[in-house]
Short mmCIF file of all heavy atoms in Angstrom, two decimals:
data_model
loop_
_atom_site.label_atom_id
_atom_site.label_comp_id
_atom_site.label_asym_id
_atom_site.label_seq_id
_atom_site.Cartn_x
_atom_site.Cartn_y
_atom_site.Cartn_z
N SER R 265 -27.30 54.61 35.57
CA SER R 265 -27.47 55.64 36.59
C SER R 265 -28.33 55.09 37.72
O SER R 265 -29.02 54.08 37.57
CB SER R 265 -28.08 56.89 35.98
OG SER R 265 -29.40 56.67 35.57
N PHE R 266 -28.26 55.77 38.85
CA PHE R 266 -28.99 55.35 40.04
C PHE R 266 -29.39 56.60 40.80
O PHE R 266 -28.62 57.53 40.94
CB PHE R 266 -28.09 54.47 40.92
CG PHE R 266 -28.71 54.03 42.20
CD1 PHE R 266 -29.73 53.08 42.20
CD2 PHE R 266 -28.30 54.55 43.40
CE1 PHE R 266 -30.30 52.67 43.39
CE2 PHE R 266 -28.87 54.16 44.59
CZ PHE R 266 -29.87 53.20 44.58
N ASN R 267 -30.64 56.64 41.29
CA ASN R 267 -31.14 57.77 42.04
C ASN R 267 -31.79 57.24 43.31
O ASN R 267 -32.93 56.79 43.29
CB ASN R 267 -32.14 58.57 41.22
CG ASN R 267 -32.53 59.86 41.89
OD1 ASN R 267 -32.69 59.92 43.09
ND2 ASN R 267 -32.68 60.89 41.09
N ARG R 268 -31.07 57.32 44.41
CA ARG R 268 -31.56 56.78 45.67
C ARG R 268 -32.41 57.81 46.43
O ARG R 268 -33.39 57.45 47.07
CB ARG R 268 -30.39 56.37 46.55
CG ARG R 268 -30.83 55.76 47.89
CD ARG R 268 -29.65 55.40 48.72
NE ARG R 268 -28.99 56.63 49.14
CZ ARG R 268 -28.19 56.73 50.18
NH1 ARG R 268 -27.92 55.67 50.89
NH2 ARG R 268 -27.64 57.87 50.50
N THR R 269 -32.06 59.08 46.35
CA THR R 269 -32.71 60.11 47.16
C THR R 269 -33.77 60.90 46.43
O THR R 269 -34.50 61.66 47.04
CB THR R 269 -31.66 61.10 47.68
OG1 THR R 269 -31.09 61.79 46.56
CG2 THR R 269 -30.57 60.40 48.48
N GLY R 270 -33.83 60.77 45.11
CA GLY R 270 -34.75 61.59 44.34
C GLY R 270 -34.15 62.94 44.01
O GLY R 270 -34.71 63.73 43.26
N MET R 271 -32.97 63.23 44.56
CA MET R 271 -32.32 64.51 44.36
C MET R 271 -31.10 64.43 43.44
O MET R 271 -30.78 65.39 42.75
CB MET R 271 -31.90 65.08 45.71
CG MET R 271 -31.30 66.42 45.67
SD MET R 271 -31.01 66.91 47.36
CE MET R 271 -30.07 68.37 47.10
N SER R 272 -30.43 63.30 43.44
CA SER R 272 -29.17 63.17 42.70
C SER R 272 -29.17 61.93 41.84
O SER R 272 -29.53 60.85 42.29
CB SER R 272 -28.00 63.10 43.68
OG SER R 272 -27.97 64.24 44.51
N ASP R 273 -28.72 62.09 40.60
CA ASP R 273 -28.58 60.96 39.67
C ASP R 273 -27.11 60.59 39.58
O ASP R 273 -26.30 61.36 39.07
CB ASP R 273 -29.08 61.35 38.26
CG ASP R 273 -30.53 61.75 38.26
OD1 ASP R 273 -31.34 61.01 38.85
OD2 ASP R 273 -30.86 62.79 37.66
N ARG R 274 -26.75 59.41 40.09
CA ARG R 274 -25.37 58.96 40.05
C ARG R 274 -25.16 58.14 38.78
O ARG R 274 -25.96 57.25 38.48
CB ARG R 274 -25.06 58.13 41.29
CG ARG R 274 -25.05 58.96 42.55
CD ARG R 274 -25.08 58.10 43.80
NE ARG R 274 -24.94 58.89 44.99
CZ ARG R 274 -25.91 59.58 45.57
NH1 ARG R 274 -27.12 59.55 45.05
NH2 ARG R 274 -25.71 60.29 46.65
N HIS R 275 -24.08 58.41 38.08
CA HIS R 275 -23.79 57.73 36.81
C HIS R 275 -22.51 56.92 36.94
O HIS R 275 -21.51 57.41 37.47
CB HIS R 275 -23.66 58.75 35.68
CG HIS R 275 -24.93 59.48 35.41
ND1 HIS R 275 -25.83 59.08 34.46
CD2 HIS R 275 -25.48 60.57 36.01
CE1 HIS R 275 -26.87 59.88 34.46
NE2 HIS R 275 -26.68 60.80 35.41
N PHE R 276 -22.56 55.70 36.41
CA PHE R 276 -21.44 54.76 36.54
C PHE R 276 -21.03 54.24 35.17
O PHE R 276 -21.84 54.20 34.24
CB PHE R 276 -21.85 53.58 37.43
CG PHE R 276 -22.27 54.00 38.80
CD1 PHE R 276 -23.60 54.31 39.06
CD2 PHE R 276 -21.35 54.09 39.82
CE1 PHE R 276 -24.01 54.71 40.34
CE2 PHE R 276 -21.74 54.50 41.09
CZ PHE R 276 -23.07 54.80 41.34
N CYS R 277 -19.78 53.80 35.05
CA CYS R 277 -19.27 53.22 33.82
C CYS R 277 -19.90 51.85 33.60
O CYS R 277 -19.93 51.01 34.51
CB CYS R 277 -17.75 53.09 33.92
SG CYS R 277 -17.01 52.26 32.48
N ARG R 278 -20.40 51.62 32.40
CA ARG R 278 -21.02 50.32 32.08
C ARG R 278 -20.00 49.20 32.02
O ARG R 278 -20.33 48.03 32.21
CB ARG R 278 -21.74 50.41 30.74
CG ARG R 278 -22.98 51.25 30.82
CD ARG R 278 -23.67 51.30 29.49
NE ARG R 278 -24.86 52.16 29.62
CZ ARG R 278 -25.62 52.51 28.61
NH1 ARG R 278 -25.35 52.08 27.40
NH2 ARG R 278 -26.65 53.28 28.81
N ARG R 279 -18.76 49.54 31.76
CA ARG R 279 -17.74 48.51 31.60
C ARG R 279 -17.11 48.11 32.94
O ARG R 279 -17.01 46.94 33.25
CB ARG R 279 -16.66 48.99 30.65
CG ARG R 279 -15.73 47.87 30.21
CD ARG R 279 -14.86 48.26 29.07
NE ARG R 279 -13.82 49.16 29.57
CZ ARG R 279 -12.96 49.81 28.83
NH1 ARG R 279 -13.02 49.70 27.52
NH2 ARG R 279 -12.06 50.59 29.34
N CYS R 280 -16.70 49.08 33.74
CA CYS R 280 -16.00 48.74 34.98
C CYS R 280 -16.81 49.02 36.25
O CYS R 280 -16.43 48.59 37.33
CB CYS R 280 -14.67 49.49 35.05
SG CYS R 280 -14.84 51.27 35.40
N GLY R 281 -17.91 49.77 36.13
CA GLY R 281 -18.74 50.08 37.30
C GLY R 281 -18.27 51.27 38.09
O GLY R 281 -18.86 51.61 39.12
N GLY R 282 -17.20 51.94 37.64
CA GLY R 282 -16.67 53.09 38.37
C GLY R 282 -17.63 54.28 38.36
O GLY R 282 -18.37 54.50 37.41
N HIS R 283 -17.60 55.03 39.45
CA HIS R 283 -18.45 56.21 39.59
C HIS R 283 -17.88 57.34 38.72
O HIS R 283 -16.74 57.74 38.91
CB HIS R 283 -18.51 56.64 41.06
CG HIS R 283 -19.46 57.75 41.32
ND1 HIS R 283 -19.37 58.53 42.42
CD2 HIS R 283 -20.51 58.22 40.63
CE1 HIS R 283 -20.33 59.44 42.41
NE2 HIS R 283 -21.03 59.27 41.32
N LEU R 284 -18.67 57.84 37.79
CA LEU R 284 -18.21 58.88 36.86
C LEU R 284 -18.65 60.28 37.27
O LEU R 284 -17.85 61.21 37.29
CB LEU R 284 -18.73 58.58 35.46
CG LEU R 284 -18.33 57.25 34.86
CD1 LEU R 284 -19.05 57.02 33.55
CD2 LEU R 284 -16.83 57.20 34.70
N MET R 285 -19.94 60.43 37.56
CA MET R 285 -20.45 61.76 37.90
C MET R 285 -21.78 61.64 38.61
O MET R 285 -22.41 60.57 38.62
CB MET R 285 -20.61 62.62 36.67
CG MET R 285 -21.66 62.16 35.71
SD MET R 285 -21.71 63.26 34.29
CE MET R 285 -22.89 62.38 33.28
N THR R 286 -22.18 62.74 39.23
CA THR R 286 -23.48 62.82 39.89
C THR R 286 -24.15 64.11 39.45
O THR R 286 -23.57 65.18 39.61
CB THR R 286 -23.33 62.80 41.42
OG1 THR R 286 -22.60 61.64 41.81
CG2 THR R 286 -24.68 62.81 42.10
N ARG R 287 -25.35 64.00 38.91
CA ARG R 287 -26.12 65.17 38.49
C ARG R 287 -27.09 65.54 39.60
O ARG R 287 -27.73 64.67 40.20
CB ARG R 287 -26.91 64.87 37.22
CG ARG R 287 -26.02 64.72 35.99
CD ARG R 287 -26.82 64.54 34.71
NE ARG R 287 -27.77 65.66 34.51
CZ ARG R 287 -29.10 65.53 34.56
NH1 ARG R 287 -29.66 64.37 34.81
NH2 ARG R 287 -29.86 66.57 34.37
N HIS R 288 -27.19 66.85 39.88
CA HIS R 288 -28.11 67.39 40.86
C HIS R 288 -29.02 68.37 40.11
O HIS R 288 -28.76 69.58 40.10
CB HIS R 288 -27.37 68.12 41.98
CG HIS R 288 -26.29 67.31 42.61
ND1 HIS R 288 -26.52 66.33 43.54
CD2 HIS R 288 -24.94 67.32 42.42
CE1 HIS R 288 -25.38 65.78 43.91
NE2 HIS R 288 -24.41 66.36 43.25
N PRO R 289 -30.07 67.89 39.45
CA PRO R 289 -30.91 68.74 38.58
C PRO R 289 -31.50 69.95 39.30
O PRO R 289 -31.56 71.04 38.73
CB PRO R 289 -32.01 67.80 38.11
CG PRO R 289 -31.46 66.43 38.26
CD PRO R 289 -30.52 66.49 39.43
N ASP R 290 -31.94 69.80 40.54
CA ASP R 290 -32.54 70.92 41.26
C ASP R 290 -31.55 72.06 41.51
O ASP R 290 -31.95 73.21 41.67
CB ASP R 290 -33.11 70.47 42.61
CG ASP R 290 -34.32 69.55 42.43
OD1 ASP R 290 -34.87 69.48 41.32
OD2 ASP R 290 -34.69 68.89 43.42
N LEU R 291 -30.27 71.75 41.55
CA LEU R 291 -29.23 72.75 41.78
C LEU R 291 -28.56 73.20 40.49
O LEU R 291 -27.69 74.07 40.52
CB LEU R 291 -28.15 72.18 42.71
CG LEU R 291 -28.60 71.76 44.10
CD1 LEU R 291 -27.45 71.11 44.82
CD2 LEU R 291 -29.13 72.95 44.86
N ASP R 292 -28.93 72.57 39.38
CA ASP R 292 -28.26 72.82 38.10
C ASP R 292 -26.76 72.62 38.27
O ASP R 292 -25.96 73.45 37.86
CB ASP R 292 -28.58 74.22 37.58
CG ASP R 292 -28.17 74.40 36.12
OD1 ASP R 292 -28.14 73.39 35.39
OD2 ASP R 292 -27.87 75.54 35.73
N LEU R 293 -26.38 71.49 38.88
CA LEU R 293 -25.00 71.21 39.24
C LEU R 293 -24.67 69.77 38.89
O LEU R 293 -25.53 68.89 39.03
CB LEU R 293 -24.84 71.41 40.76
CG LEU R 293 -23.47 71.44 41.33
CD1 LEU R 293 -22.98 72.89 41.36
CD2 LEU R 293 -23.50 70.91 42.74
N THR R 294 -23.46 69.53 38.43
CA THR R 294 -22.98 68.17 38.17
C THR R 294 -21.63 67.99 38.82
O THR R 294 -20.72 68.79 38.62
CB THR R 294 -22.85 67.91 36.65
OG1 THR R 294 -24.14 68.09 36.05
CG2 THR R 294 -22.36 66.50 36.38
N ASP R 295 -21.50 66.95 39.66
CA ASP R 295 -20.21 66.59 40.25
C ASP R 295 -19.54 65.60 39.32
O ASP R 295 -20.14 64.57 38.98
CB ASP R 295 -20.40 65.89 41.60
CG ASP R 295 -21.04 66.78 42.65
OD1 ASP R 295 -20.81 67.99 42.61
OD2 ASP R 295 -21.77 66.24 43.49
N VAL R 296 -18.31 65.88 38.92
CA VAL R 296 -17.55 64.96 38.08
C VAL R 296 -16.39 64.43 38.89
O VAL R 296 -15.64 65.21 39.48
CB VAL R 296 -17.05 65.68 36.80
CG1 VAL R 296 -16.22 64.75 35.96
CG2 VAL R 296 -18.22 66.26 36.01
N ALA R 297 -16.23 63.12 38.92
CA ALA R 297 -15.10 62.53 39.61
C ALA R 297 -13.82 62.97 38.90
O ALA R 297 -13.63 62.67 37.72
CB ALA R 297 -15.22 61.01 39.61
N ALA R 298 -12.99 63.71 39.60
CA ALA R 298 -11.80 64.32 38.99
C ALA R 298 -10.90 63.30 38.31
O ALA R 298 -10.28 63.61 37.28
CB ALA R 298 -11.01 65.10 40.04
N GLY R 299 -10.82 62.09 38.83
CA GLY R 299 -9.97 61.07 38.24
C GLY R 299 -10.44 60.57 36.88
O GLY R 299 -9.72 59.86 36.20
N THR R 300 -11.64 60.95 36.47
CA THR R 300 -12.16 60.48 35.18
C THR R 300 -11.88 61.44 34.04
O THR R 300 -12.13 61.12 32.89
CB THR R 300 -13.69 60.26 35.26
OG1 THR R 300 -14.33 61.52 35.48
CG2 THR R 300 -14.05 59.29 36.35
N VAL R 301 -11.36 62.61 34.37
CA VAL R 301 -11.15 63.64 33.34
C VAL R 301 -9.64 63.83 33.15
O VAL R 301 -8.95 64.34 34.03
CB VAL R 301 -11.80 64.98 33.73
CG1 VAL R 301 -11.62 66.00 32.65
CG2 VAL R 301 -13.27 64.78 34.05
N HIS R 302 -9.15 63.41 32.01
CA HIS R 302 -7.71 63.52 31.73
C HIS R 302 -7.46 64.70 30.79
O HIS R 302 -8.19 64.91 29.83
CB HIS R 302 -7.20 62.23 31.08
CG HIS R 302 -7.38 61.06 31.96
ND1 HIS R 302 -6.56 60.80 33.04
CD2 HIS R 302 -8.30 60.07 31.97
CE1 HIS R 302 -6.96 59.71 33.64
NE2 HIS R 302 -8.03 59.25 33.01
N GLY R 303 -6.45 65.49 31.11
CA GLY R 303 -6.05 66.58 30.23
C GLY R 303 -6.87 67.85 30.37
O GLY R 303 -6.69 68.79 29.60
N ILE R 304 -7.76 67.90 31.34
CA ILE R 304 -8.58 69.10 31.55
C ILE R 304 -8.20 69.72 32.89
O ILE R 304 -8.11 69.02 33.91
CB ILE R 304 -10.08 68.77 31.53
CG1 ILE R 304 -10.48 68.29 30.14
CG2 ILE R 304 -10.91 69.97 31.94
CD1 ILE R 304 -11.92 67.87 30.02
N VAL R 305 -7.98 71.01 32.90
CA VAL R 305 -7.69 71.71 34.16
C VAL R 305 -9.01 71.90 34.89
O VAL R 305 -9.95 72.48 34.38
CB VAL R 305 -7.02 73.07 33.89
CG1 VAL R 305 -6.80 73.80 35.18
CG2 VAL R 305 -5.70 72.87 33.15
N PHE R 306 -9.08 71.39 36.11
CA PHE R 306 -10.30 71.46 36.91
C PHE R 306 -10.15 72.53 37.97
O PHE R 306 -9.16 72.55 38.70
CB PHE R 306 -10.56 70.10 37.56
CG PHE R 306 -11.72 70.11 38.51
CD1 PHE R 306 -13.01 70.24 38.04
CD2 PHE R 306 -11.50 70.03 39.86
CE1 PHE R 306 -14.09 70.26 38.91
CE2 PHE R 306 -12.57 70.05 40.75
CZ PHE R 306 -13.86 70.17 40.27
N ALA R 307 -11.12 73.41 38.08
CA ALA R 307 -11.13 74.44 39.10
C ALA R 307 -12.46 74.38 39.86
O ALA R 307 -13.49 74.82 39.34
CB ALA R 307 -10.94 75.82 38.46
N PRO R 308 -12.46 73.83 41.08
CA PRO R 308 -13.72 73.71 41.83
C PRO R 308 -14.27 75.07 42.22
O PRO R 308 -13.52 76.03 42.43
CB PRO R 308 -13.33 72.91 43.06
CG PRO R 308 -11.87 73.16 43.24
CD PRO R 308 -11.32 73.35 41.85
N ALA R 309 -15.60 75.16 42.33
CA ALA R 309 -16.25 76.40 42.73
C ALA R 309 -16.59 76.38 44.22
O ALA R 309 -16.71 77.42 44.84
CB ALA R 309 -17.52 76.60 41.91
N VAL R 310 -16.77 75.18 44.78
CA VAL R 310 -17.11 75.04 46.19
C VAL R 310 -16.78 73.61 46.63
O VAL R 310 -16.79 72.70 45.83
CB VAL R 310 -18.63 75.34 46.41
CG1 VAL R 310 -19.50 74.33 45.70
CG2 VAL R 310 -18.97 75.43 47.89
N HIS R 311 -16.45 73.47 47.92
CA HIS R 311 -16.23 72.15 48.50
C HIS R 311 -17.42 71.84 49.40
O HIS R 311 -17.72 72.62 50.30
CB HIS R 311 -14.93 72.11 49.33
CG HIS R 311 -13.69 72.30 48.51
ND1 HIS R 311 -13.18 71.30 47.70
CD2 HIS R 311 -12.86 73.36 48.37
CE1 HIS R 311 -12.08 71.74 47.11
NE2 HIS R 311 -11.87 72.98 47.50
N LEU R 312 -18.10 70.71 49.19
CA LEU R 312 -19.26 70.33 49.98
C LEU R 312 -18.86 69.31 51.05
O LEU R 312 -17.89 68.59 50.90
CB LEU R 312 -20.33 69.70 49.08
CG LEU R 312 -20.85 70.58 47.94
CD1 LEU R 312 -21.85 69.80 47.10
CD2 LEU R 312 -21.46 71.85 48.48
N ASN R 313 -19.63 69.27 52.13
CA ASN R 313 -19.40 68.34 53.25
C ASN R 313 -17.98 68.47 53.82
O ASN R 313 -17.38 67.49 54.23
CB ASN R 313 -19.67 66.89 52.81
CG ASN R 313 -21.11 66.68 52.43
OD1 ASN R 313 -22.00 67.04 53.19
ND2 ASN R 313 -21.34 66.12 51.26
N TYR R 314 -17.48 69.70 53.86
CA TYR R 314 -16.10 69.91 54.29
C TYR R 314 -15.88 69.61 55.75
O TYR R 314 -14.77 69.31 56.17
CB TYR R 314 -15.66 71.34 53.95
CG TYR R 314 -14.18 71.52 53.94
CD1 TYR R 314 -13.40 70.98 52.92
CD2 TYR R 314 -13.52 72.23 54.94
CE1 TYR R 314 -12.03 71.14 52.89
CE2 TYR R 314 -12.15 72.39 54.92
CZ TYR R 314 -11.41 71.84 53.91
OH TYR R 314 -10.05 72.00 53.88
N SER R 315 -16.94 69.63 56.56
CA SER R 315 -16.78 69.33 57.98
C SER R 315 -16.34 67.88 58.19
O SER R 315 -15.82 67.54 59.25
CB SER R 315 -18.09 69.58 58.74
OG SER R 315 -19.09 68.71 58.28
N GLU R 316 -16.53 67.03 57.19
CA GLU R 316 -16.14 65.63 57.28
C GLU R 316 -14.88 65.32 56.48
O GLU R 316 -14.52 64.15 56.31
CB GLU R 316 -17.28 64.75 56.80
CG GLU R 316 -18.53 64.91 57.68
CD GLU R 316 -19.64 63.98 57.28
OE1 GLU R 316 -19.34 62.89 56.76
OE2 GLU R 316 -20.80 64.36 57.50
N ALA R 317 -14.21 66.35 55.99
CA ALA R 317 -13.02 66.13 55.16
C ALA R 317 -11.91 65.45 55.94
O ALA R 317 -11.65 65.79 57.10
CB ALA R 317 -12.51 67.46 54.61
N VAL R 318 -11.27 64.51 55.32
CA VAL R 318 -10.12 63.84 55.91
C VAL R 318 -8.86 64.59 55.51
O VAL R 318 -7.94 64.76 56.31
CB VAL R 318 -10.04 62.37 55.42
CG1 VAL R 318 -8.77 61.70 55.91
CG2 VAL R 318 -11.27 61.61 55.87
N LEU R 319 -8.81 65.06 54.30
CA LEU R 319 -7.68 65.82 53.77
C LEU R 319 -8.11 67.26 53.59
O LEU R 319 -9.01 67.56 52.80
CB LEU R 319 -7.22 65.24 52.43
CG LEU R 319 -6.09 65.97 51.72
CD1 LEU R 319 -4.82 65.92 52.57
CD2 LEU R 319 -5.86 65.36 50.36
N ARG R 320 -7.54 68.17 54.34
CA ARG R 320 -7.86 69.60 54.26
C ARG R 320 -7.22 70.19 53.01
O ARG R 320 -6.07 69.90 52.70
CB ARG R 320 -7.40 70.35 55.50
CG ARG R 320 -8.05 69.85 56.77
CD ARG R 320 -9.51 70.15 56.74
NE ARG R 320 -10.19 69.53 57.86
CZ ARG R 320 -11.49 69.56 58.03
NH1 ARG R 320 -12.25 70.15 57.15
NH2 ARG R 320 -12.04 68.98 59.05
N VAL R 321 -7.97 71.01 52.31
CA VAL R 321 -7.50 71.63 51.07
C VAL R 321 -7.44 73.14 51.29
O VAL R 321 -8.43 73.76 51.65
CB VAL R 321 -8.47 71.32 49.91
CG1 VAL R 321 -8.00 71.97 48.63
CG2 VAL R 321 -8.62 69.82 49.73
N HIS R 322 -6.28 73.71 51.11
CA HIS R 322 -6.09 75.15 51.28
C HIS R 322 -5.95 75.79 49.90
O HIS R 322 -4.85 76.01 49.40
CB HIS R 322 -4.85 75.42 52.16
CG HIS R 322 -4.95 74.78 53.50
ND1 HIS R 322 -5.67 75.33 54.53
CD2 HIS R 322 -4.45 73.61 53.97
CE1 HIS R 322 -5.61 74.54 55.58
NE2 HIS R 322 -4.87 73.49 55.26
N ASP R 323 -7.11 76.08 49.30
CA ASP R 323 -7.11 76.60 47.94
C ASP R 323 -7.91 77.89 47.76
O ASP R 323 -8.05 78.38 46.64
CB ASP R 323 -7.62 75.53 46.96
CG ASP R 323 -9.03 75.07 47.29
OD1 ASP R 323 -9.66 75.60 48.24
OD2 ASP R 323 -9.52 74.16 46.60
N GLY R 324 -8.43 78.44 48.86
CA GLY R 324 -9.17 79.68 48.76
C GLY R 324 -10.60 79.52 48.25
O GLY R 324 -11.33 80.49 48.11
N VAL R 325 -11.02 78.30 47.93
CA VAL R 325 -12.37 78.03 47.42
C VAL R 325 -13.30 77.90 48.63
O VAL R 325 -12.93 77.31 49.64
CB VAL R 325 -12.37 76.74 46.57
CG1 VAL R 325 -13.77 76.37 46.15
CG2 VAL R 325 -11.49 76.91 45.35
N PRO R 326 -14.52 78.45 48.56
CA PRO R 326 -15.46 78.34 49.69
C PRO R 326 -15.70 76.88 50.08
O PRO R 326 -15.77 76.00 49.22
CB PRO R 326 -16.75 78.97 49.15
CG PRO R 326 -16.33 79.83 48.02
CD PRO R 326 -15.11 79.19 47.44
N LYS R 327 -15.81 76.66 51.39
CA LYS R 327 -16.07 75.33 51.91
C LYS R 327 -17.36 75.36 52.73
O LYS R 327 -17.52 76.20 53.60
CB LYS R 327 -14.91 74.87 52.82
CG LYS R 327 -13.71 74.42 52.01
CD LYS R 327 -12.52 75.25 52.34
CE LYS R 327 -11.31 74.80 51.58
NZ LYS R 327 -10.99 75.64 50.47
N LEU R 328 -18.27 74.45 52.43
CA LEU R 328 -19.54 74.38 53.15
C LEU R 328 -19.51 73.21 54.12
O LEU R 328 -18.97 72.14 53.80
CB LEU R 328 -20.71 74.22 52.19
CG LEU R 328 -20.95 75.37 51.22
CD1 LEU R 328 -22.19 75.09 50.37
CD2 LEU R 328 -21.12 76.68 51.96
N ARG R 329 -20.09 73.41 55.31
CA ARG R 329 -20.16 72.35 56.32
C ARG R 329 -20.85 71.12 55.75
O ARG R 329 -20.43 69.99 55.96
CB ARG R 329 -20.91 72.83 57.54
CG ARG R 329 -20.97 71.81 58.66
CD ARG R 329 -21.60 72.35 59.92
NE ARG R 329 -23.01 72.63 59.79
CZ ARG R 329 -23.97 71.71 59.88
NH1 ARG R 329 -23.67 70.45 60.07
NH2 ARG R 329 -25.24 72.04 59.76
N ASP R 330 -21.94 71.34 55.01
CA ASP R 330 -22.66 70.22 54.42
C ASP R 330 -23.08 70.58 52.98
O ASP R 330 -22.27 70.50 52.10
CB ASP R 330 -23.87 69.81 55.28
CG ASP R 330 -24.66 71.00 55.80
OD1 ASP R 330 -24.72 72.04 55.12
OD2 ASP R 330 -25.24 70.88 56.90
N PHE R 331 -24.31 71.00 52.77
CA PHE R 331 -24.81 71.37 51.45
C PHE R 331 -25.35 72.79 51.47
O PHE R 331 -25.65 73.34 52.54
CB PHE R 331 -25.93 70.41 51.00
CG PHE R 331 -25.44 69.06 50.58
CD1 PHE R 331 -25.42 68.01 51.48
CD2 PHE R 331 -24.98 68.85 49.29
CE1 PHE R 331 -24.96 66.76 51.10
CE2 PHE R 331 -24.53 67.61 48.90
CZ PHE R 331 -24.51 66.57 49.80
N PRO R 332 -25.55 73.39 50.30
CA PRO R 332 -26.18 74.71 50.25
C PRO R 332 -27.59 74.64 50.85
O PRO R 332 -28.24 73.59 50.82
CB PRO R 332 -26.27 75.01 48.74
CG PRO R 332 -25.23 74.14 48.11
CD PRO R 332 -25.16 72.91 48.96
N ALA R 333 -28.06 75.74 51.41
CA ALA R 333 -29.39 75.79 52.03
C ALA R 333 -30.48 75.38 51.05
O ALA R 333 -31.42 74.67 51.42
CB ALA R 333 -29.65 77.18 52.59
N GLU R 334 -30.35 75.78 49.79
CA GLU R 334 -31.37 75.46 48.80
C GLU R 334 -31.41 73.97 48.47
O GLU R 334 -32.34 73.48 47.83
CB GLU R 334 -31.22 76.28 47.53
CG GLU R 334 -29.90 76.17 46.83
CD GLU R 334 -28.86 77.17 47.31
OE1 GLU R 334 -29.01 77.77 48.39
OE2 GLU R 334 -27.86 77.36 46.60
N ALA R 335 -30.41 73.22 48.93
CA ALA R 335 -30.38 71.77 48.72
C ALA R 335 -30.70 71.02 50.01
O ALA R 335 -30.46 69.83 50.11
CB ALA R 335 -29.02 71.35 48.20
N GLY R 336 -31.19 71.75 51.01
CA GLY R 336 -31.56 71.12 52.26
C GLY R 336 -30.47 71.10 53.30
O GLY R 336 -30.65 70.54 54.39
N GLY R 337 -29.32 71.71 53.00
CA GLY R 337 -28.23 71.79 53.97
C GLY R 337 -28.30 73.05 54.79
O GLY R 337 -29.25 73.84 54.67
N SER R 338 -27.27 73.29 55.57
CA SER R 338 -27.22 74.48 56.40
C SER R 338 -26.74 75.70 55.61
O SER R 338 -27.05 76.83 55.98
CB SER R 338 -26.29 74.27 57.59
OG SER R 338 -24.94 74.16 57.14
N GLY R 339 -25.97 75.47 54.55
CA GLY R 339 -25.37 76.58 53.81
C GLY R 339 -24.24 77.24 54.56
O GLY R 339 -23.67 78.22 54.11
N GLU R 340 -23.89 76.68 55.72
CA GLU R 340 -22.87 77.25 56.58
C GLU R 340 -21.47 77.04 56.02
O GLU R 340 -21.08 75.92 55.70
CB GLU R 340 -22.96 76.60 57.96
CG GLU R 340 -21.94 77.08 58.95
CD GLU R 340 -22.02 76.30 60.27
OE1 GLU R 340 -23.09 75.73 60.55
OE2 GLU R 340 -21.00 76.26 60.95
N ARG R 341 -20.72 78.14 55.92
CA ARG R 341 -19.32 78.05 55.47
C ARG R 341 -18.43 77.69 56.66
O ARG R 341 -18.70 78.08 57.78
CB ARG R 341 -18.86 79.39 54.89
CG ARG R 341 -19.39 79.64 53.52
CD ARG R 341 -18.70 80.86 52.94
NE ARG R 341 -19.15 81.09 51.59
CZ ARG R 341 -18.48 81.80 50.70
NH1 ARG R 341 -17.34 82.36 51.03
NH2 ARG R 341 -18.94 81.97 49.49
N VAL R 342 -17.38 76.96 56.37
CA VAL R 342 -16.38 76.62 57.39
C VAL R 342 -15.02 77.13 56.92
O VAL R 342 -14.79 77.33 55.74
CB VAL R 342 -16.34 75.10 57.67
CG1 VAL R 342 -17.65 74.62 58.26
CG2 VAL R 342 -16.03 74.32 56.43
N ALA R 343 -14.15 77.32 57.89
CA ALA R 343 -12.81 77.84 57.60
C ALA R 343 -11.94 76.77 56.97
O ALA R 343 -12.14 75.57 57.14
CB ALA R 343 -12.16 78.34 58.88
N GLU R 344 -10.93 77.25 56.19
CA GLU R 344 -9.97 76.31 55.61
C GLU R 344 -9.17 75.69 56.72
O GLU R 344 -8.75 74.62 56.69
CB GLU R 344 -9.03 77.05 54.65
CG GLU R 344 -9.64 77.28 53.33
CD GLU R 344 -8.64 77.76 52.28
OE1 GLU R 344 -7.68 78.47 52.60
OE2 GLU R 344 -8.85 77.40 51.12
#
């Protein structure tokens, strides 16, 4: 694992070095790289940093410009 900001713990595979997940203890949130989970139906609760998205996702899930306010972001929602 690696923690550059003091806010997020990034976890990597010991064998291949691939990024597996990121824990955000202060938010009680864990980001899991979707490509690492096989056979599980994934339903996101929110999209973060959506203002920088390259691929727009039209799924009805809330999209935040950056991060939630409690994580130091604006908490501002953006349109799909």
